[in-house]
Amino acid sequence: MICKNCGVEVNESQKFCPQCGSTVEENGQAIHSDIANHAKEKSSPYPKLILGIVLGLGIFYFFATINRSFHPVIAEQPSIGYAVSSTQNKIESTMISAHLDHDFIVVPVKDIVTDRIVRFKDPSGRQDVPILAYVTPRGKIVTAMSLSESCRSTDFYLEGSTIHCANCPSYWDMESLEAYACCQKYYPDPIPSKVENGLIKIKRNVVIQWKARL
């Protein structure tokens, strides 16, 4: 320790400073108290505050992600029954052929599962906008009108858990259709579908009567 009175180094076993005679215990208490106060003054609450904010945002994002709800139409759409691996690689759409089965437009489920995202035209030729079908990482089969109404593009691609317009920066969550870049309302408009005997079936009248929202 250092004597606070005269600055001479004092052994901790000594009760009095050999230089000035000051009580060592009192000096020691004062010195230790000063050091503690100095450290307390230097301690800033900001790093802890910033860390708390970061952790809070991380926890919020985690629970918002795992609890993200489906778009109402997508919630009612079929599932392949198992999850598929998501990839950060770009998966471009494949154009396939559809056929009519009475009042339904029909495409094979296996084509959608294999290619992950496909487009097809109305076989009756009464709707100019193509139809889009893709599989989400959680195994949902989504069918929608393949139009980005803000830029009029009819092509999309998948990346990770998002679906992207092939012509502009717009992209959305595959299942909730939450927008990540502009075009909040003009995601590919989901249309109802069902699976029967390995086929995706979409009511032809729904496709024919569909109108662009913009």
Side-chain angles (χ1 to χ4, degrees), residues 15-198:
K15 294 183 178 181
F16 301 95
C17 173
Q19 178 70 24
C20 67
S22 297
T23 303
V24 171
E25 289 181 352
E26 292 177 356
N27 286 331
Q29 289 172 357
I31 290 169
H32 292 310
S33 177
D34 287 347
I35 292 172
N37 290 334
H38 184 64
K40 189 174 180 181
E41 288 172 3
K42 281 197 167 184
S43 176
S44 171
Y46 292 112
K48 292 181 179 179
L49 179 62
I50 293 170
L51 179 60
I53 291 172
V54 170
L55 287 175
L57 289 174
I59 292 169
F60 172 80
Y61 179 77
F62 172 76
F63 282 103
T65 299
I66 64 172
N67 293 318
R68 178 179 284 130
S69 60
F70 291 107
H71 180 281
V73 176
I74 294 176
E76 301 300 322
Q77 291 189 322
S79 170
I80 60 175
Y82 56 88
V84 295
S85 59
S86 61
T87 174
Q88 294 305 315
N89 295 329
K90 179 179 178 180
I91 304 175
E92 296 182 345
S93 69
T94 301
M95 183 65 75
I96 64 173
S97 297
H99 67 273
L100 292 175
D101 181 7
H102 301 291
D103 294 328
F104 293 93
I105 298 172
V106 176
V107 293
V109 171
K110 66 178 180 62
D111 288 354
I112 306 170
V113 174
T114 299
D115 295 319
R116 291 289 301 274
I117 178 168
V118 300
R119 293 181 300 136
F120 47 94
K121 295 181 179 179
D122 170 20
S124 68
R126 296 178 62 185
Q127 174 60 264
D128 294 330
V129 176
I131 304 160
L132 177 73
Y134 61 87
V135 181
T136 75
R138 287 198 282 181
K140 271 283 186 180
I141 299 175
V142 178
T143 49
M145 299 307 295
S146 189
L147 180 66
S148 179
E149 289 152 275
S150 58
C151 70
R152 314 311 290 182
S153 172
T154 59
D155 195 11
F156 296 85
Y157 65 89
L158 304 182
E159 193 171 82
S161 61
T162 53
I163 179 167
H164 297 242
C165 175
N167 188 59
C168 74
S170 303
Y171 67 109
W172 307 265
D173 180 85
M174 285 188 210
E175 295 177 342
S176 68
L177 296 179
E178 174 187 353
Y180 294 111
C182 67
C183 300
Q184 297 281 338
K185 299 178 181 179
Y186 301 115
Y187 43 75
D189 195 12
I191 54 175
S193 59
K194 62 181 180 178
V195 172
E196 286 184 1
N197 300 320

